[in-house]
Amino acid sequence: MTQSKNFIEIAVEEDLENPDLPNYVHTRFPPEPNGYLHIGHAKAMIITYGIAEKYGGKYNLRMDDTNPEKEDVEYVEAIKDDVHWLGFDWEDRFYYASDFFEDMYNCAHVLIDKGLAYIDEQNAETIRQQRGALTSPGTNSPYRDRPIEESRTLFKEMKEGKHADGSMVLRAKIDMASGNMNMRDPVLYRILRETHYRTGDDWVIYPMYDFAHPLEDAFEGITHSLCSIEFEDHRPLYNWVVEHTDVTHIPRQIEFARLGLSHTVMSKRKLRQLVENGLVEDWDDPRLPTLRGMRRRGYTPKAIRNFAERIGVSKVPNTVDYRFLEYCLREDLNARAPRAMAVIDPIKLTIRNYPEETFEVFEMDNVPGDPDSGRHGYSFSKHLYIEREDFMETPDKNFHRLSPGETVRLMGAYLITCEEVIKNENGEIEEIIASYDPDSAGGKGKKVKGTIHFVDQETAVDADCYLYDLLFLAEDPDADERPYEEQLNPNSRVIMENAKLEPWIFEHQSPIGFQFVRQGYFVRDEKDQSRKTPRFNRSVSLKDSYRPEFE
RNA sequence: UGGGGUGUCGCCAAGUGGUAAGGCACGGGACUUUGACUCCCGCAUUCGCAGGUUCAAAUCCUGCCAUCCCAGCCA
């Protein structure tokens, strides 16, 4: 496959060849520590860090913490943890925007002294009205042309806490008639008496994103500041700031389309709504697209990285089918996850002609096709469990598992033939009686169409299996007018409390979990240490091409 | 009556004037002690629409249409 370059790589290469620009690449991922990272952030991070890696450059991790109202250490720790988990190492280049507050303050003075910024004493409402509308120009503030000296003094007083919250702001003097709303004298600094999680009460003025971000990039020596598409019309302002504040390093902002994923929601606000309304367990609910949730679900960093690399980079608004994400997970797990026997919804199987009080041990490859993965044994006896789904009393034409009179292979063991079905008073199947062919051990004997898995009753370990499916039924929950509560998939989480697992699962360490043969990939959930029965989360099911045929 | 984006198969996405890559999904088949995996085969006479330039256009020009973002003292 030919590796074509995406538009960012093309731009970066042009810059590298430009003798007037740096001959290296240095990028940054700048989350605001006001929430948990999700798969969309992972995409952004992988693009940003991937560009640095591809061109032999460096990358930083930065907390964009310029708003004391929302940010918290809890999130910075979680973010660092998630970034590391994805496999990225920022070495000693971890930054806080809040560490640059003093430098930013000085840059604001440069603007004031150049007559490019002024103190506006109007309130927020007035400023909003003066901004005009999309199709009509704004009007200049009466403070716009006040003497530089006045603004300088007032700005110092703002910093010293001599003025009330909201009583005045520092604004850039650009163009109130610009078609680009961002250029209509944007606010650069506001007064806010709010304790910042890092700087405490040192500051009562805080810089706005449009002023702070380009400076952070400049201070850190970022060459390419990659961000999502909604910042595209902020770029003129970004460039204006670095041009007029006398910073010595000029970064370049390039925007790409953010990730959309079908059947889920991605914005912090919406995720918060799900968590706070108790519609999911928590931020790490395995059904959420948060990195913490996906981690708990059993997604691997490798699967997420492959996913991000394969969906590509463009500026086209997109919604990737969740099935592509699942495909990437299956691909990784199929290659590495050890196989194990587990019956999720058991019914008893008794082998009539097999002796009591004895057992045999059969072996299977941990990962078929990978000799280095080893093998493990599992026991077989007269009393087993099989999957309820693997038996059908009146099978359709395409069903080739167990049914009355039919023969199937018990995986790795014997051929058995169903002889009798025992039901309880409610008509539910309780037990299957079968006979086995003693000459069919380990694959010998006739070929049969069906092979089913089983667990020996004697050695089985109880477990709860959490089966997950789409959180939302709708492809785009936001396009649906109904509240989220009514859109949730009632079967997004099905708890099976009577699963029977082969004991090896508990003896063998496998951080990526196991493939429960013929069913899917599962990982042990360690969150609740107090639970008596172990819990397993289904990361993703196996594909299933069985289609009942009706005639 | 503003500014900035984007429009190639159901979903991503290559393609940058030479006659539509690839992946996912889907359908069919082979293989199979996982109906998994793997392997074959099929899947856009057409690139938002309409004109134009050219021997030749998804690619160039003109016009139009659709759709997304922007009026926080959020990021």
Side-chain angles (χ1 to χ4, degrees):
Chain A
M1 214 207 303
T2 42
Q3 279 293 19
S4 53
K5 296 185 178 93
N6 64 51
F7 77 100
I8 296 176
E9 293 167 337
I10 290 168
V12 167
E13 288 182 20
E14 282 170 5
D15 290 348
L16 286 173
E17 285 162 18
N18 187 150
D20 298 330
L21 295 173
N23 61 352
Y24 59 88
V25 174
H26 197 147
T27 62
R28 106 270 91 119
F29 177 61
E32 181 186 14
N34 69 345
Y36 298 96
L37 262 28
H38 54 63
I39 181 80
H41 292 109
K43 174 196 175 180
M45 196 190 312
I46 291 163
I47 289 172
T48 292
Y49 288 175
I51 283 283
E53 282 176 338
K54 175 163 184 171
Y55 295 99
K58 293 176 176 174
Y59 54 78
N60 300 355
L61 176 62
R62 173 166 81 222
M63 295 301 126
D64 202 3
D65 54 359
T66 57
N67 183 355
E69 290 181 309
K70 300 179 177 176
E71 297 145 7
D72 196 277
V73 267
E74 175 197 348
Y75 299 117
V76 352
E77 291 314 315
I79 289 168
K80 287 165 103 170
D81 186 52
D82 284 340
V83 176
H84 270 319
W85 177 72
L86 269 180
F88 293 109
D89 181 6
W90 55 82
E91 299 176 331
D92 58 347
R93 295 178 305 281
F94 178 76
Y95 296 91
Y96 289 99
S98 50
D99 280 343
F100 298 126
F101 281 168
E102 192 69 39
D103 298 312
M104 292 176 189
Y105 174 75
N106 292 332
C107 284
H109 269 295
V110 171
L111 255 23
I112 293 170
D113 291 345
K114 285 182 177 178
L116 292 175
Y118 61 95
I119 297 296
D120 193 336
E121 294 178 53
Q122 301 179 107
N123 60 35
E125 174 63 13
T126 307
I127 289 176
R128 191 179 65 74
Q129 285 169 1
Q130 283 177 178
R131 192 146 31 225
L134 293 177
T135 55
S136 58
T139 53
N140 287 171
S141 164
Y143 295 96
R144 197 172 200 264
D145 293 313
R146 75 182 342 171
I148 288 173
E149 192 50 49
E150 235 176 80
S151 286
R152 188 185 293 147
T153 305
L154 252 13
F155 189 50
K156 278 182 186 155
E157 290 177 5
M158 270 172 65
K159 182 191 184 230
E160 288 160 6
K162 292 183 177 170
H163 299 282
D165 286 14
S167 60
M168 56 184 71
V169 291
L170 179 71
R171 287 229 262 169
K173 190 191 290 186
I174 306 180
D175 178 9
M176 289 305 291
S178 174
N180 182 347
M181 299 299 287
N182 297 301
M183 300 299 268
R184 319 246 265 223
D185 287 13
V187 171
L188 267 22
Y189 265 94
R190 77 277 207 185
I191 305 172
L192 199 58
R193 282 176 175 74
E194 184 82 36
T195 302
H196 187 278
Y197 77 105
R198 293 194 67 245
T199 60
D201 297 319
D202 292 352
W203 294 84
V204 294
I205 58 171
Y206 291 93
M208 302 295 293
Y209 170 87
D210 283 313
F211 180 66
H213 207 88
L215 293 178
E216 292 157 19
D217 288 338
F219 297 154
E220 290 181 24
I222 299 305
T223 55
H224 299 271
S225 180
L226 311 183
C227 64
S228 47
I229 207 83
E230 64 269 29
F231 291 104
E232 199 152 28
D233 54 10
H234 289 245
R235 194 170 64 227
L237 179 52
Y238 181 100
N239 292 150
W240 185 91
V241 171
V242 293
E243 182 188 341
H244 296 291
T245 46
D246 295 347
V247 291
T248 53
H249 178 87
I250 309 294
R252 199 236 273 216
Q253 175 179 300
I254 299 175
E255 313 83 13
F256 57 84
R258 53 197 297 168
L259 170 69
L261 235 201
S262 72
H263 304 274
T264 191
V265 292
M266 210 82 99
S267 79
K268 276 176 194 165
R269 205 194 95 248
K270 292 165 186 166
L271 290 172
R272 186 178 303 282
Q273 200 179 325
L274 293 171
V275 174
E276 289 177 354
N277 292 348
L279 300 172
V280 294
E281 287 181 45
D282 203 343
W283 286 98
D284 60 358
D285 187 290
R287 292 165 292 184
L288 255 21
T290 53
L291 258 17
R292 302 185 94 65
M294 293 177 74
R295 240 217 265 205
R296 197 168 162 210
R297 171 86 170 250
Y299 268 84
T300 60
K302 187 176 180 184
I304 292 174
R305 287 240 228 169
N306 280 153
F307 170 75
E309 281 156 20
R310 285 181 215 182
I311 55 176
V313 181
S314 73
K315 300 179 76 150
V316 186
N318 62 83
T319 303
V320 178
D321 194 321
Y322 77 96
R323 288 175 296 190
F324 188 57
L325 218 205
E326 292 196 331
Y327 165 82
C328 291
L329 213 217
R330 287 193 188 101
E331 179 188 46
D332 184 29
L333 262 17
N334 176 55
R336 314 194 276 147
R339 315 289 129 123
M341 294 283 209
V343 173
I344 293 170
D345 185 12
I347 45 176
K348 289 178 180 171
L349 174 73
T350 303
I351 315 291
R352 190 185 42 73
N353 57 340
Y354 194 86
E356 291 277 3
E357 308 291 320
T358 187
F359 67 95
E360 285 175 76
V361 173
F362 292 97
E363 274 200 340
M364 71 163 115
D365 290 339
N366 289 157
V367 179
D370 176 10
D372 298 336
S373 68
R375 294 166 66 76
H376 76 273
Y378 52 100
S379 65
F380 176 93
S381 74
K382 185 182 183 75
H383 303 287
L384 309 173
Y385 291 114
I386 60 169
E387 207 71 60
R388 188 169 293 276
E389 284 195 333
D390 286 336
F391 179 82
M392 199 180 279
E393 218 172 352
T394 49
D396 68 88
K397 202 173 131 193
N398 287 342
F399 187 84
H400 43 258
R401 277 113 86 163
L402 200 61
S403 52
E406 295 297 318
T407 300
V408 296
R409 164 81 55 190
L410 286 180
M411 194 181 287
Y414 296 104
L415 251 20
I416 57 158
T417 303
C418 172
E419 297 189 333
E420 193 183 343
V421 180
I422 298 173
K423 296 179 182 176
N424 63 19
E425 58 275 17
N426 299 321
E428 294 158 345
I429 296 170
E430 284 212 319
E431 185 179 355
I432 307 286
I433 308 293
S435 61
Y436 85 115
D437 172 359
D439 297 324
S440 64
K444 294 197 290 287
K446 66 170 180 177
K447 286 230 181 284
V448 290
K449 273 184 141 183
T451 298
I452 66 175
H453 58 279
F454 66 92
V455 170
D456 185 356
Q457 287 183 29
E458 181 65 29
T459 57
V461 180
D462 290 329
D464 295 341
C465 286
Y466 284 56
L467 311 182
Y468 300 106
D469 198 352
L470 298 173
L471 222 206
F472 290 94
L473 264 357
E475 189 176 315
D476 179 5
D478 292 316
D480 200 311
E481 287 144 21
R482 293 173 300 164
Y484 287 170
E485 288 84 342
E486 293 170 30
Q487 289 191 59
L488 294 178
N489 176 2
N491 298 315
S492 66
R493 187 184 73 181
V494 173
I495 303 175
M496 303 299 288
E497 297 181 300
N498 197 26
K500 307 292 183 184
L501 318 191
E502 62 158 303
W504 181 73
I505 290 167
F506 298 90
E507 296 156 5
H508 182 77
Q509 292 297 316
S510 178
I512 58 169
F514 299 83
Q515 181 196 105
F516 288 0
V517 130
R518 299 208 310 127
Q519 303 184 96
Y521 298 93
F522 288 76
V523 268
R524 178 83 181 262
D525 188 300
E526 309 280 7
K527 191 175 184 186
D528 181 4
Q529 295 289 341
S530 67
R531 63 162 45 236
K532 55 288 159 214
T533 311
R535 164 177 170 176
F536 283 79
N537 292 322
R538 184 173 69 191
S539 313
V540 65
S541 66
L542 249 33
K543 282 183 66 174
D544 181 7
S545 60
Y546 166 60
R547 296 286 177 278
E549 179 159 284
F550 303 102
E551 299 194 8

